[in-house]
Amino acid sequence: MKTIMTRRPLLVRGSRHMSTGPVRTVVALGGNALVRKGDDGSAAQQLACVRTVAKQLAAFPKGTELVVSHGNGPQVGQILLQSDLTADKFPPTPIDSAVAATQGQIGIMMQHSLAEALGRPTVTVCTTVLVSESDPDFQDPTKYVGSFYDEAGAKKQEAELGWKMKEDKGRGWRRVVPSPKPSGIVETESVRTLLEAGVVTIACGGGSVPAVQQPGGGFKTVEAGVDKDLSSMVLARELGAKRLIILTAVDEVQCDYGTPEAEVLYNPTVEELQRKAARGQFPPGSMGPKIEAALAFLEGNPGAECLITSPEAFGEALSGKKGTWIRS
């Protein structure tokens, strides 16, 4: 594959690209860091992956106020499949309940692994994200969850289980569920209190449990799956964080991904990303929400920075050798 570098990395070898010293930081960990292609998805295998990522996150400067979120697509997909296959014996599991279950399931693994790797108290907060029932995604679902299928397998799932299936460009077919835009995180102040007490906090797991505000007070959860990068961005802004890190399957953002004309973006400006996004360079099922989250985080947030890279390249990305860095 021929790669075109839009811009040479700005810093010399051995220097740091991120702001020096501890900065309030939100890290959004992609689902690929827990279940990789070819993995069996067992609890033991996921725990091994989480421990590896936890050691990588130990690269942050001492004193960094750290929030970690995570994806949950494979885990939710498994819960929903189990529910559908036992529908003749048990009531169906709502998607919002499945999201809540994975916050605990994945959170406990991350909680123990991060506490051990960072040597700091760590806690998991089951978080709730506010959405609107009038969001158009409830009529045209776009959130991919669960396993990949070929077209024939996808049609079979639609016929037998009543799932809505769409093609995830270049990756196969997957189930889709509503993914409304997040407008706020209910537990932000609880997370803030924990951060200020020096506690590493796991929040926005799986994008958080979606809910709508009730006219008389309180919340009603709804069946949907909010994108974890967008929820993490909302939490980061509400916390006044100055750094958002999105860990995904690639070392750097690319345009024309997977083609001979692939263009690697190391230090794009906000304006460059906006132009490329407007030209449809970032698919909605993969890099699109990450770019959307990065741009929304940086807007009107002076001194903020966003890094998009892979868990494997994370250490080198912090020193400016890899990764895509965008600054406000």
Side-chain angles (χ1 to χ4, degrees):
M1 178 182 71
K2 178 182 178 182
T3 58
I4 305 171
M5 298 183 187
T6 58
R7 191 174 301 180
R8 184 176 299 171
L10 297 180
L11 302 185
V12 298
R13 183 179 178 85
S15 62
R16 299 179 68 84
H17 189 79
M18 73 173 187
S19 302
T20 58
V23 176
R24 181 170 289 181
T25 300
V26 174
V27 177
L29 185 62
N32 66 291
L34 300 175
V35 181
R36 305 170 194 271
K37 188 176 182 179
D39 287 345
D40 61 12
S42 67
Q45 170 265 309
Q46 291 184 54
L47 178 58
C49 288
V50 168
R51 284 176 172 165
T52 297
V53 173
K55 292 176 182 177
Q56 294 164 336
L57 295 183
F60 281 117
K62 186 177 180 180
T64 297
E65 293 183 343
L66 181 61
V67 177
V68 181
S69 69
H70 59 81
N72 67 347
Q75 293 80 8
V76 164
Q78 183 181 45
I79 290 173
L80 297 179
L81 178 58
Q82 290 171 339
S83 176
D84 287 330
L85 293 176
T86 59
D88 59 332
K89 296 180 175 63
F90 304 102
T93 301
I95 295 171
D96 48 311
S97 295
V99 172
T102 60
Q103 287 197 29
Q105 173 190 346
I106 299 170
I108 197 65
M109 291 190 291
M110 296 187 67
Q111 183 174 315
H112 293 166
S113 300
L114 287 168
E116 180 180 355
L118 277 61
R120 296 171 57 185
T122 307
V123 71
T124 301
V125 177
C126 186
T127 43
T128 312
V129 59
L130 293 175
V131 299
S132 170
E133 284 185 299
S134 62
D135 191 292
D137 218 74
F138 282 106
Q139 282 69 52
D140 183 21
T142 58
K143 176 72 173 180
Y144 292 95
V145 298
S147 304
F148 290 92
Y149 299 86
D150 58 20
E151 186 172 3
K155 298 297 183 184
K156 182 179 179 181
Q157 298 301 98
E158 283 188 326
E160 294 183 357
L161 300 176
W163 289 358
K164 175 70 174 178
M165 307 291 287
K166 287 185 179 180
E167 186 176 11
D168 192 350
K169 186 178 179 182
R171 305 172 73 189
W173 290 72
R174 298 177 78 187
R175 183 184 181 185
V176 287
V177 298
S179 183
K181 298 296 185 185
S183 61
I185 305 298
V186 174
E187 295 80 11
T188 294
E189 292 310 310
S190 297
V191 174
R192 189 192 312 278
T193 299
L194 289 165
L195 290 181
E196 292 174 350
V199 179
V200 176
T201 307
I202 301 159
C204 286
S208 298
V209 178
V212 294
Q213 183 87 52
Q214 295 299 283
F219 308 96
K220 180 184 75 173
T221 62
V222 293
E223 288 206 70
V226 179
D227 184 87
K228 69 101 177 43
D229 295 315
L230 296 179
S231 288
S232 300
M233 175 275 297
V234 170
L235 178 61
R237 288 197 61 111
E238 291 183 345
L239 289 171
K242 288 300 181 181
R243 185 187 300 129
L244 174 65
I245 296 178
I246 300 175
L247 298 183
T248 185
V250 294
D251 293 353
E252 291 90 18
V253 176
Q254 296 181 28
C255 291
D256 297 316
Y257 179 75
T259 72
E261 291 75 34
E263 178 186 8
V264 180
L265 309 180
Y266 284 111
N267 301 101
T269 64
V270 167
E271 291 74 19
E272 285 177 300
L273 281 184
Q274 289 172 333
R275 288 196 300 269
K276 293 178 186 298
R279 294 201 298 266
Q281 277 290 344
F282 309 116
S286 54
M287 190 56 69
K290 296 168 178 52
I291 298 300
E292 182 182 352
L295 293 174
F297 174 68
L298 296 172
E299 184 179 3
N301 193 1
E305 55 191 0
C306 181
L307 166 66
I308 302 176
T309 191
S310 67
E312 295 78 11
F314 177 64
E316 290 183 279
L318 289 186
S319 60
K321 300 172 188 175
K322 287 189 176 182
T324 297
W325 283 96
I326 317 108
R327 283 181 161 169
S328 59

